[in-house]
Amino acid sequence: MSEQGELVLLPGAVPPQEENPDQAVAWHYGDPFGEQRAAARGVAVVDRSNREIIAVPGDDRLSWLHLMISQHVSELPDDQGTEALVLDSQGRVDAHMVLAHVDGTVWMDTEPGASATGARGDRQTLLAYLEAMKFWSKVEPRDATSEIALLSLVGPEAPAALAAVDLPAPTDTYAVEGMVRRMPGSYDLLLPRDEMTTWWTKLTTAGARPMGSWGYEALRVEALRPRVGVDTDERTIPHEVNWVPVAAHVAKGCYRGQETVSKVHNIGRPPRRMLLLHLDGSADSLPETGDPVRSGERTVGRVGTVAQHHELGPIALALVKRSIAPETELTAGGSPAAIDPDSVPPDTPGLGREAVKRLHG
């Protein structure tokens, strides 16, 4: 959806800047840091209705999707969700989606404008890619963005806010109850689009503070949750951005890009890793998505999402070469930057190498 959503027109909503990737939803509601604090200590509701929704009904929905995406879904139970990727033939990330299997349909929400590499190497919409891969399978993928809209509740008081509007609060991650899906650190509400404003009013009346994309993105960066097209580039593989095993299953086969996923997991290491950078708030300007990360004169990475956090100040996600030590002095787009040591994943050797050592030892 390129046009602005209806909630952007509500009193107090501030529209996003032109370069913001979330053009259809509010940037903030007058106090972005206060909104973040409410999400950290109480509860906030976020308009994410710009997410594209793809519905996959049909008798073969699970077996067919199992071959199309990186996650193991052939036996995905009813009222359960997961995260998954579409990869190209080299195992590079094309698209990321979150699933909910409800009432005979798999609902997949994904980035606005999500796309995938076609069989001839051309770029096409994610829906067009899925439709081209139906063959004789009994599935009917369709664009359901006009049917379903997504709101998210963030914060420790989210279960109380849900109870106040007579909605369940699933306890297991990715479990779905009614229109509510449990996510890591939040709850997603998959609502009929024509009821979105009504539910927004119910939730804010129940005490949830409106929070725009500014606050939501800052908390996402703090949680080291990547976003396709912002924190990834054309070379990104799932291991670099912590999507193994969250969204990519290493043991199942038969999906495009599986060989790369399995090989890097078992006998290799990804060339880069996603890290949290603390930026110098006194600099004249902050870096932008796509700017280089440098060590001296040498380019060692790429800036992803840049955010203003209510406690951490200016921060960013970045893809940085694995060889860069956490204490290395860096610049991001010209701004001094320091790696958050807690964001550095453990650098364990590949499982295959350990197996070989044990075999010879």
Side-chain angles (χ1 to χ4, degrees):
M1 297 174 64
S2 58
E3 71 276 4
Q4 288 188 339
E6 57 187 88
L7 297 183
V8 182
L9 305 177
L10 294 178
V14 177
Q17 297 177 327
E18 290 185 2
E19 67 275 12
N20 192 296
D22 294 309
Q23 286 297 305
V25 296
W27 191 28
H28 60 82
Y29 295 87
D31 183 6
F33 293 134
E35 294 164 22
Q36 291 180 49
R37 286 191 288 271
R41 303 167 188 171
V43 58
V45 58
V46 188
D47 175 13
R48 301 178 66 215
S49 60
N50 60 328
R51 296 276 288 177
E52 290 187 3
I53 310 292
I54 296 175
V56 184
D59 293 343
D60 297 338
R61 61 190 180 278
L62 293 181
S63 59
W64 177 74
L65 278 172
H66 191 75
L67 301 176
M68 294 295 103
I69 60 179
S70 62
Q71 191 56 277
H72 197 298
V73 295
S74 62
E75 299 175 1
L76 187 67
D78 291 336
D79 299 324
Q80 183 65 31
T82 188
E83 297 184 47
L85 307 170
V86 171
L87 308 176
D88 70 9
S89 59
Q90 303 300 314
R92 296 169 296 206
V93 176
D94 272 349
H96 170 266
M97 66 281 294
V98 187
L99 281 59
H101 185 205
V102 181
D103 294 335
T105 298
V106 177
W107 304 89
M108 305 192 299
D109 59 280
T110 187
E111 291 288 342
S115 62
T117 307
R120 299 180 180 179
D122 57 319
R123 202 72 180 182
Q124 53 191 204
T125 67
L126 180 58
L127 178 59
Y129 168 74
L130 293 174
E131 288 178 330
M133 302 301 290
K134 285 194 311 182
F135 301 111
W136 298 279
S137 298
K138 296 178 181 179
V139 290
E140 293 297 333
R142 72 176 188 274
D143 183 356
T145 310
S146 62
E147 304 171 37
I148 302 294
L150 179 64
L151 302 180
S152 290
L153 274 179
V154 185
E157 298 301 321
L162 289 168
V165 296
D166 297 321
L167 289 178
T171 55
D172 295 336
T173 305
Y174 303 116
V176 183
E177 293 185 33
M179 60 181 68
V180 184
R181 178 180 61 203
R182 183 74 164 96
M183 294 295 293
S186 65
Y187 294 84
D188 285 345
L189 278 67
L190 299 162
L191 306 166
R193 186 166 288 273
D194 58 5
E195 298 179 13
M196 177 176 61
T197 302
T198 299
W199 282 103
W200 178 271
T201 302
K202 287 182 179 182
L203 290 164
T204 53
T205 302
R209 179 165 180 169
M211 180 168 67
S213 62
W214 175 324
Y216 184 84
E217 290 292 279
L219 298 178
R220 179 181 65 78
V221 170
E222 179 191 17
L224 298 175
R225 290 184 62 84
R227 183 174 180 180
V228 167
V230 184
D231 303 307
T232 66
D233 58 17
E234 69 282 353
R235 298 183 293 118
T236 303
I237 60 175
H239 316 70
E240 295 178 323
V241 290
N242 305 331
W243 270 331
V244 176
V246 174
H249 198 282
V250 297
K252 81 154 192 157
C254 302
Y255 65 93
R256 192 171 68 171
Q258 180 270 337
E259 183 178 355
T260 297
V261 172
S262 179
K263 183 176 180 180
V264 174
H265 177 74
N266 287 311
I267 61 175
R269 297 174 181 175
R272 301 176 297 178
R273 52 191 178 185
M274 186 181 67
L275 303 174
L276 177 66
L277 300 183
H278 294 274
L279 306 174
D280 185 355
S282 64
D284 293 336
S285 61
L286 294 177
E288 298 180 355
T289 299
D291 280 350
V293 176
R294 292 190 174 95
S295 173
E297 297 299 317
R298 185 167 64 105
T299 297
V300 297
R302 172 196 180 275
V303 175
T305 306
V306 181
Q308 292 276 4
H309 192 275
H310 70 108
E311 289 183 340
L312 301 177
I315 54 177
L317 293 177
L319 283 172
V320 180
K321 288 184 177 180
R322 177 169 291 276
S323 59
I324 298 301
E327 63 274 11
T328 303
E329 294 184 1
L330 302 173
T331 58
S335 173
I339 296 172
D340 187 317
D342 291 336
S343 72
V344 180
D347 191 14
T348 55
L351 301 179
R353 293 179 180 176
E354 287 297 301
V356 170
K357 288 180 181 178
R358 289 195 297 270
L359 181 65
H360 291 286

